[in-house]
Amino acid sequence: MADLEKVKKRSDDAWSNRSGFDALYREAFDYAIPQRRPGGDGNSVRSGDFLFDMTAPTSTMHFAGNLQRDLFPSGQPPAILEAGPVTAMALSSREVTTYNRMLERQANRINPFFLQGDWDTTLHEACIELAVGTAAIIPIKGDHNEPVRFGSISIDQIALECDAYGRVVFISWRQVFTRDQILAAYPDGTWPEGWRDETMGSKGRETVTFTQCFWQKGNTKREGWEFVAYLDKSTEPVVGKLYRTQPIAVPRYYRVPGEAYGRGVVLTALPSIKTVNKAQEIALKAAAIQMLGIWGYRAGGTFNPDTVRVGPGEFWPMQATGGVLGPDVQRIDPATGRMDVARMLIGNLQDQIREALLDTRLPEYQGTPRAASEIAARLRQRADVHIGAFGRLVREIMPVIVPRVAEILYEFAYLQMPMTIDELLVTCKVRSPMAAALNADRLAAIANYLEFVGAVAGPEKVSLYANIDKVLEQVGNGLQIDKELIPTETERAKVESDMQAAQQQQIAAMFAQEAAKQAPGLMAEEMRDAA
């Protein structure tokens, strides 16, 4: 069991270092994801009445949906397992193909647990958090009926510590629970003296802070992760455990060197989001003044603005409605504001926000229809922007989630042996439209090469300059085709043998048909010779 005092000190340091990001994240959530965790248990207590524009909240939700669809579309296996670069160097190409097929069978035992709605909803929640910068996803060990569950942890409850290279090596998860909830989660835990009796008595519904810390043991991932949970009053850990794999994935959209937390698209668009809200507020006030006007009245007369009612059919007591001094009540129209300038400013700011949040929805039809080239350019632009964060998100989500799920399934005996996914011997690759788009550039280069060889050397000599079998294998991998759909060498040899047999049967049938056509003439000649 780890030294609890050292763990507490490390956790407190992580939360202290996080304080600089608290105000930044809080402001981003207030404007893009308002009324976050209402009820007082969140960091922000603002009601949202300062918001006058819905562009940022709407585009943030569309960003989360687009990100999930581009990286991990619903209803398809999210990852595949393949031989890593070290394994590929040690094996022949035929052995690598065989090994990849074996790994695919192992992946097919894991992927069904990602096809439940639990994973899709958790991932969408994490994508909403990634719009601000940082998310947290935890695979949870369940029971035999539901071995794996997934949960998205609010970044308000997470504090991180990174090593010198920016890799997450310590995670502190602080959450407020009731006493009976904690006791139900860890009934065999080591509790402070008298705490269990108080919980089972009158203090069961009392809320306390429960901290769960995860940190990498040693300097490499092979040594595993340690886990300790404790209460504020604990003098020894309530529970402790050693994991073979990282228990929580903490993806970050963009990351600046030296910072543990990520920066999302909302932080990039935050100046425009705040400006457009203020511009909308001023425009609404100006419109209200122009619609209702500003009224002046003569003080000391019979008119009292505190007692009259504004409405149709109302009678106001006044001493004069005209004359030399003018009426007792008169509307004073201010200078007409330039509402067209305000609309232009607000429209430009809203376009900037949508562009920053990758909201590529086509606007309402106005004038000339949108060309197909413009639609394709919009989609390509979104892909190019995502690629900047794609490598980090891929590295920090599935290579963490898949090994942890495999560990849980091994403990339930769904897998016969533990799997080591270290990106060198066995690598985890994401299956997504974004990955296919990246592979498409490589496949286009291969297709151009084959076309060029056919044009210069002739189609019959393409096999002299390109290994067609290896080319098609790369094409299948690039297009993320299931290896079960691609025949093995044995199956391909059988197909070629069947094709040759079919060709021989066709030739024999052709000879038989030709012989049948010539048979009457040959018989007539034989009869003439016999006569």
Side-chain angles (χ1 to χ4, degrees):
M1 193 72 73
D3 187 346
L4 183 59
E5 293 301 321
K6 292 183 178 180
V7 175
K8 284 186 175 182
K9 178 64 169 57
R10 192 174 183 182
S11 176
D12 293 340
D13 291 343
W15 281 100
S16 177
N17 294 333
R18 180 208 151 90
S19 60
F21 269 85
D22 284 341
L24 189 64
Y25 277 178
R26 187 181 306 122
E27 189 173 35
F29 281 122
D30 284 344
Y31 280 95
I33 312 173
Q35 297 92 25
R36 174 177 170 81
R37 298 172 63 197
D41 57 347
N43 287 336
S44 177
V45 295
R46 303 180 71 177
S47 61
D49 55 358
F50 59 93
L51 293 176
F52 296 91
D53 187 82
M54 60 175 288
T55 305
T58 304
S59 295
T60 298
M61 295 304 168
H62 281 277
F63 166 84
N66 290 334
L67 184 62
Q68 180 180 9
R69 184 175 63 250
D70 290 341
L71 293 181
F72 311 103
S74 177
Q76 93 174 30
I80 58 175
L81 300 178
E82 290 185 352
V86 175
T87 303
M89 291 173 57
L91 301 178
S92 64
S93 58
R94 179 179 298 180
E95 291 172 338
V96 169
T97 302
T98 304
Y99 188 53
N100 285 339
R101 291 179 179 273
M102 183 198 71
L103 291 176
E104 186 178 41
R105 288 194 293 270
Q106 293 295 323
N108 290 337
R109 294 172 176 248
I110 300 175
N111 283 330
F113 296 93
F114 289 94
L115 300 181
Q116 305 175 13
D118 196 16
W119 167 249
D120 292 333
T121 55
T122 298
L123 194 60
H124 188 266
E125 294 171 6
C127 289
I128 296 176
E129 299 272 274
L130 282 172
V132 175
T134 308
I137 304 173
I138 179 171
I140 305 169
K141 183 178 179 181
D143 51 26
H144 284 280
N145 295 325
E146 190 179 14
V148 183
R149 297 194 298 267
F150 298 96
S152 178
I153 305 174
S154 170
I155 192 58
D156 298 337
Q157 304 170 355
I158 294 290
L160 306 176
E161 178 185 308
C162 295
D163 61 8
Y165 310 103
R167 295 173 297 188
V168 176
V169 295
F170 182 86
I171 304 170
S172 177
W173 179 14
R174 284 183 178 175
Q175 192 171 5
V176 176
F177 291 104
T178 60
R179 284 172 170 251
D180 50 8
Q181 286 177 331
I182 302 175
L183 188 60
Y186 300 104
D188 299 328
T190 303
W191 307 102
E193 184 178 357
W195 191 89
R196 182 189 293 269
D197 296 334
E198 294 175 353
T199 301
M200 300 182 68
S202 60
K203 295 185 177 181
R205 300 304 300 172
E206 180 182 296
T207 58
V208 295
T209 301
F210 191 61
T211 305
Q212 303 175 73
C213 294
F214 309 81
W215 67 92
Q216 183 176 300
K217 183 180 180 182
N219 297 322
T220 63
K221 294 190 293 184
R222 288 182 176 273
E223 298 183 56
W225 282 65
E226 291 191 64
F227 163 67
V228 158
Y230 61 89
L231 297 166
D232 291 341
K233 298 180 180 180
S234 296
T235 57
E236 57 180 324
V238 172
V239 64
K241 189 176 181 180
L242 178 64
Y243 296 98
R244 295 179 59 253
T245 57
Q246 181 175 338
I248 299 179
V250 188
R252 296 159 290 181
Y253 194 79
Y254 290 127
R255 178 182 167 273
V256 178
E259 296 179 354
Y261 302 92
R263 295 174 177 262
V265 292
V266 171
L267 295 184
T268 305
L270 193 57
S272 295
I273 294 173
K274 296 173 66 176
T275 304
V276 78
N277 270 282
K278 179 57 68 175
Q280 288 276 34
E281 180 183 2
I282 295 174
L284 289 172
K285 290 181 178 179
I289 292 175
Q290 291 188 13
M291 291 170 61
L292 301 178
I294 298 177
W295 295 77
Y297 71 98
R298 183 180 293 112
T302 59
F303 181 80
N304 185 358
D306 296 329
T307 59
V308 300
R309 296 175 54 185
V310 178
E314 296 290 339
F315 289 89
W316 292 355
M318 292 187 295
Q319 188 172 3
T321 59
V324 178
L325 298 178
D328 283 358
V329 180
Q330 184 177 5
R331 174 168 173 158
I332 304 173
D333 286 328
T336 304
R338 295 296 304 275
M339 298 300 296
D340 55 342
V341 176
R343 284 193 294 269
M344 181 180 66
L345 174 63
I346 292 172
N348 291 337
L349 290 172
Q350 290 175 338
D351 290 340
Q352 292 178 13
I353 295 171
R354 294 190 186 98
E355 181 180 358
L357 271 59
L358 307 179
D359 188 355
T360 56
R361 289 174 296 160
L362 295 178
E364 295 293 335
Y365 171 75
Q366 294 178 355
T368 306
R370 305 291 172 176
S373 58
E374 179 182 353
I375 299 175
R378 285 174 178 265
L379 297 178
R380 181 63 185 178
Q381 182 182 21
R382 189 183 72 192
D384 291 341
V385 174
H386 268 329
I387 287 175
F390 178 74
R392 173 171 298 281
L393 294 178
V394 166
R395 180 178 179 84
E396 293 183 344
I397 297 181
M398 296 315 299
V400 176
I401 297 295
V402 171
R404 175 60 186 145
V405 172
E407 181 181 6
I408 294 175
L409 296 179
Y410 172 70
E411 294 176 357
F412 278 109
Y414 282 92
L415 296 179
Q416 298 178 353
M417 58 182 296
M419 298 189 64
T420 301
I421 304 174
D422 55 4
E423 304 303 317
L424 294 176
L425 299 178
V426 177
T427 183
C428 176
K429 291 187 176 181
V430 173
R431 301 183 64 174
S432 67
M434 186 63 66
L438 291 175
N439 295 332
D441 295 336
R442 174 64 176 166
L443 299 181
I446 295 175
N448 292 336
Y449 171 73
L450 295 176
E451 184 178 357
F452 185 80
V453 170
V456 174
E460 68 280 356
K461 294 186 178 181
V462 171
S463 58
L464 294 177
Y465 301 95
N467 190 324
I468 301 300
D469 292 338
K470 292 184 178 180
V471 166
L472 294 180
E473 182 178 356
Q474 284 198 15
V475 171
N477 292 334
L479 296 178
Q480 301 178 349
I481 303 300
D482 292 340
K483 292 179 175 57
E484 294 180 352
L485 303 179
I486 301 176
T488 63
E489 291 187 1
T490 303
E491 294 171 342
R492 193 180 301 118
K494 183 178 183 304
V495 171
E496 292 179 350
S497 176
D498 294 341
M499 292 173 60
Q500 292 177 357
Q503 290 178 354
Q504 292 177 357
Q505 291 178 0
Q506 290 179 356
I507 294 173
M510 291 173 58
F511 277 115
Q513 291 178 359
E514 188 65 25
K517 292 179 181 179
Q518 298 179 0
L522 294 176
M523 293 178 62
E525 291 180 0
E526 291 179 358
M527 293 177 63
R528 284 196 301 267
D529 294 339

